[in-house]
Amino acid sequence: MPETRWLDDEEQGTWRAYIWTNHLLWEALERQLQKDSGIPHAYYIMLVCLSESPDRTMTMTQLASVTQFSASRLSHAMARLEEKGWVRRIKHEEDRRTTMAKLTDEGFSALESAAPGHVGEVRRRVFDPLSREQIRQFHDILSTILSGLESAEESEEDAGPA
Amino acid sequence: MPETRWLDDEEQGTWRAYIWTNHLLWEALERQLQKDSGIPHAYYIMLVCLSESPDRTMTMTQLASVTQFSASRLSHAMARLEEKGWVRRIKHEEDRRTTMAKLTDEGFSALESAAPGHVGEVRRRVFDPLSREQIRQFHDILSTILSGLESAEESEEDAGPA
DNA sequence: CCGACGCGGTTGAGATTTCAACCGACTTCG
DNA sequence: CGAAGTCGGTTGAAATCTCAACCGCGTCGG
């Protein structure tokens, strides 16, 4: 193994800024959503995904893959959302293993009332302070990092037993 | 209240890339740290902060402020770290309310053995794919967002009772 | 058709985080 | 002094997330 290549000052500073930004931004968003609508961000994401899906319906596995949640986490969370009446679980008729999650009207309303505040917060915190040019750069940077992460993900699936 | 200004396509795309990057990056780092050293990232941060502090010691409140953890979270986490023998809590002699957290030698070793893998992962995932120019841009962007978040934080403290 | 295996999803237990209430130690002011 | 308020920190319970085991349905080889 080669000796550790530590981060230089510029990288170090950037990394800490990233950690810190994430931390504060996340907290701000979580708090805003929680106060305004009593929804944790994770649940909000699930509702958004469902709302954008045809018939506001997805199988659990689809939803898990889109949100990148574990099956278990999704299942627990879905139980909560169902209690709130925002989602209904429906057994698939053909393949009786699969469960469909359907966003109810109540769920859609909850989302509608939560969305403006959330979007407003994102805009205020992230995009308003940046120039158009910076937004473009930001997008490029994120896409670059992302593509590396995604290809790493795939190759991990093969990496199971030797 | 003005009508909601939704995100345009460019912003939307950037935002989703951000969410997604965060998600995957976080997962990758957490997993790497966990597998290689059995330390959750939150604990790692605490150890790093202590290790950089004079005498490897900080008061709980200082540590909470640097890491941005709640006092409660910190207290619970510290209890775990103490069980592992990585940190010791010491009562302050003058102000007997305050507790000092001190990184033990074991804790420092644990950190030393965890750090290279973690840094390597960060480098591979984030900095290697980016050009110098992009790193600079990234830093600027994050700093810009950050300064907005920090000033927002201050003003919230006043905002309590009317 | 039968048994083994894989897939979709759930469950329960354990770990972490949050929330609110609390405790003891300073400080301040009458 | 002494009561009230504040500061540093802890605690217990409830919510959430993770991990591993599990259940029922489907599919495939014999």
Side-chain angles (χ1 to χ4, degrees):
Chain A
M1 174 180 335
E3 208 150 303
T4 308
R5 284 165 55 220
W6 298 98
L7 304 181
D8 63 34
D9 286 353
E10 200 169 32
E11 291 168 332
Q12 178 90 260
T14 304
W15 181 241
R16 301 221 162 177
Y18 175 77
I19 296 277
W20 196 246
T21 300
N22 245 312
H23 203 68
L24 291 182
L25 183 54
W26 203 256
E27 204 176 56
L29 292 178
E30 190 78 51
R31 198 164 38 209
Q32 183 277 322
L33 257 183
Q34 192 73 267
K35 301 257 167 178
D36 281 17
S37 354
I39 315 178
H41 190 262
Y43 294 3
Y44 179 82
I45 295 287
M46 292 170 55
L47 296 182
V48 169
C49 291
L50 284 177
S51 79
E52 289 175 348
S53 184
D55 200 32
R56 295 181 190 162
T57 300
M58 269 194 242
T59 70
M60 295 300 263
T61 309
Q62 285 170 342
L63 189 51
S65 134
V66 173
T67 58
Q68 278 290 296
F69 290 171
S70 71
S72 171
R73 179 180 182 183
L74 191 62
S75 190
H76 285 299
M78 190 60 72
R80 275 224 120 314
L81 288 180
E82 213 172 7
E83 275 176 26
K84 292 208 175 209
W86 288 346
V87 160
R88 250 197 325 274
R89 274 191 272 208
I90 303 165
K91 271 290 170 195
H92 194 290
E93 272 313 308
E94 296 170 22
D95 187 337
R96 306 185 48 73
R97 289 172 301 183
T98 81
T99 306
M100 315 289 287
K102 184 173 169 64
L103 187 63
T104 64
D105 291 344
E106 290 89 341
F108 192 76
S109 308
L111 186 54
E112 271 187 327
S113 69
H118 180 66
V119 172
E121 190 77 9
V122 171
R123 170 174 289 300
R124 240 191 326 285
R125 300 304 188 198
V126 179
F127 293 108
D128 282 351
L130 298 179
S131 68
R132 268 291 144 188
E133 174 67 9
Q134 284 181 308
I135 294 178
R136 233 176 340 264
Q137 293 171 353
F138 199 18
H139 190 265
D140 280 354
I141 289 166
L142 292 170
S143 302
T144 303
I145 296 175
L146 202 47
S147 71
L149 287 167
E150 278 167 344
S151 65
E153 253 209 335
E154 292 163 18
S155 53
E156 261 171 50
E157 285 159 18
D158 315 331
Chain B
M1 174 181 334
E3 207 151 302
T4 308
R5 282 165 56 220
W6 299 97
L7 303 180
D8 63 36
D9 286 354
E10 201 168 31
E11 293 167 332
Q12 178 90 260
T14 305
W15 181 241
R16 301 222 162 176
Y18 175 77
I19 296 277
W20 197 245
T21 301
N22 246 306
H23 202 66
L24 291 182
L25 182 54
W26 203 256
E27 205 176 55
L29 293 178
E30 191 77 50
R31 198 164 39 208
Q32 181 278 323
L33 214 46
Q34 192 71 266
K35 301 257 167 177
D36 282 17
S37 354
I39 314 178
H41 190 262
Y43 294 3
Y44 179 83
I45 295 286
M46 291 170 56
L47 297 182
V48 169
C49 290
L50 284 178
S51 79
E52 289 176 348
S53 185
D55 200 32
R56 296 182 190 161
T57 301
M58 268 193 243
T59 71
M60 296 300 264
T61 310
Q62 284 170 342
L63 189 51
S65 134
V66 173
T67 58
Q68 277 292 295
F69 290 171
S70 71
S72 171
R73 179 182 182 182
L74 191 62
S75 190
H76 285 299
M78 190 60 70
R80 292 226 133 296
L81 288 180
E82 213 171 8
E83 277 176 24
K84 292 208 174 206
W86 288 347
V87 160
R88 252 199 323 274
R89 275 190 273 208
I90 302 165
K91 270 292 171 195
H92 194 290
E93 272 312 309
E94 296 170 21
D95 187 338
R96 306 184 49 73
R97 288 171 302 182
T98 81
T99 305
M100 316 288 288
K102 183 173 171 61
L103 187 63
T104 64
D105 291 345
E106 289 90 341
F108 192 76
S109 309
L111 186 54
E112 271 187 327
S113 69
H118 180 65
V119 171
E121 189 77 9
V122 170
R123 170 173 289 299
R124 241 191 326 284
R125 301 306 188 195
V126 178
F127 293 108
D128 281 352
L130 298 180
S131 69
R132 270 291 146 187
E133 174 66 10
Q134 283 181 310
I135 293 177
R136 236 178 336 266
Q137 292 171 355
F138 199 17
H139 190 261
D140 280 355
I141 289 166
L142 292 170
S143 303
T144 303
I145 296 176
L146 202 46
S147 70
L149 286 167
E150 279 167 343
S151 64
E153 253 208 335
E154 293 163 17
S155 54
E156 259 171 51
E157 285 159 19
D158 317 329

